[in-house]
């Protein structure tokens, strides 16, 4: 599903939309999503595997998200250090690399 962001091919977007519709119509329950025990009958199980939120929903979200340039880890860490320093009113100490 993340291939849409890489290729901008509308076919991938339509597949992601279909997957999202199917998840909502077939597996949605009051507290999230349930595992589908039998596709033929639509019977659900009383559980939600962790990969549903950890992978499936994350990649669906990324498919529809606006593309932003990824930041490097060092830039992110430096910005976090500055925020901590501002919050404490002094330069925060960092561990040696």
């Amino acid at each position: 599903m993340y291939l849409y962001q890489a290729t901008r091919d509308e076919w991938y977007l339509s597949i992601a939309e279909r997957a999202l519709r199917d998840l909502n119509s077939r597996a949605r329950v009051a507290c999230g999503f349930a595992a589908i025990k039998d596709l033929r009958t639509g019977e659900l199980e009383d559980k939600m595997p962790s990969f549903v939120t950890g992978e499936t929903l994350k990649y669906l979200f990324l498919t529809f998200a606006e593309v932003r340039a990824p930041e490097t880890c060092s830039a992110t860490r430096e910005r976090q250090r500055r925020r901590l320093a501002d919050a404490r009113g002094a330069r925060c100490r960092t561990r040696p690399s």
Side-chain angles (χ1 to χ4, degrees):
M1 291 179 217
Y2 192 61
L3 286 171
Y4 171 72
Q5 294 292 350
T7 65
R8 291 296 187 197
D9 185 341
E10 295 289 324
W11 184 80
Y12 292 114
L13 190 60
S14 68
I15 295 300
E17 287 173 326
R18 182 175 175 185
L20 189 57
R21 270 196 316 272
D22 285 349
L23 275 171
N24 275 319
S25 68
R26 297 172 190 258
R28 177 69 102 172
V29 292
C31 60
F33 295 93
I36 300 173
K37 186 173 188 173
D38 189 338
L39 285 173
R40 294 169 295 175
T41 64
E43 182 182 0
L44 300 176
E45 292 187 82
D46 190 18
K47 64 180 179 179
M48 181 180 72
S50 62
F51 70 83
V52 173
T53 53
E55 295 172 22
T56 307
L57 296 178
K58 173 180 69 176
Y59 286 114
L60 277 170
F61 171 79
L62 290 172
T63 299
F64 298 106
E66 292 293 321
V67 178
R68 291 182 7 184
E71 296 181 293
T72 63
C73 292
S74 60
T76 303
R77 279 194 302 267
E78 184 57 34
R79 188 170 58 251
Q80 290 170 345
R81 283 188 199 119
R82 282 191 220 126
R83 286 181 185 161
L84 284 172
D86 291 344
R88 293 180 184 157
R91 181 85 175 128
C92 80
R93 297 180 185 186
T94 59
R95 295 185 305 203
S97 301

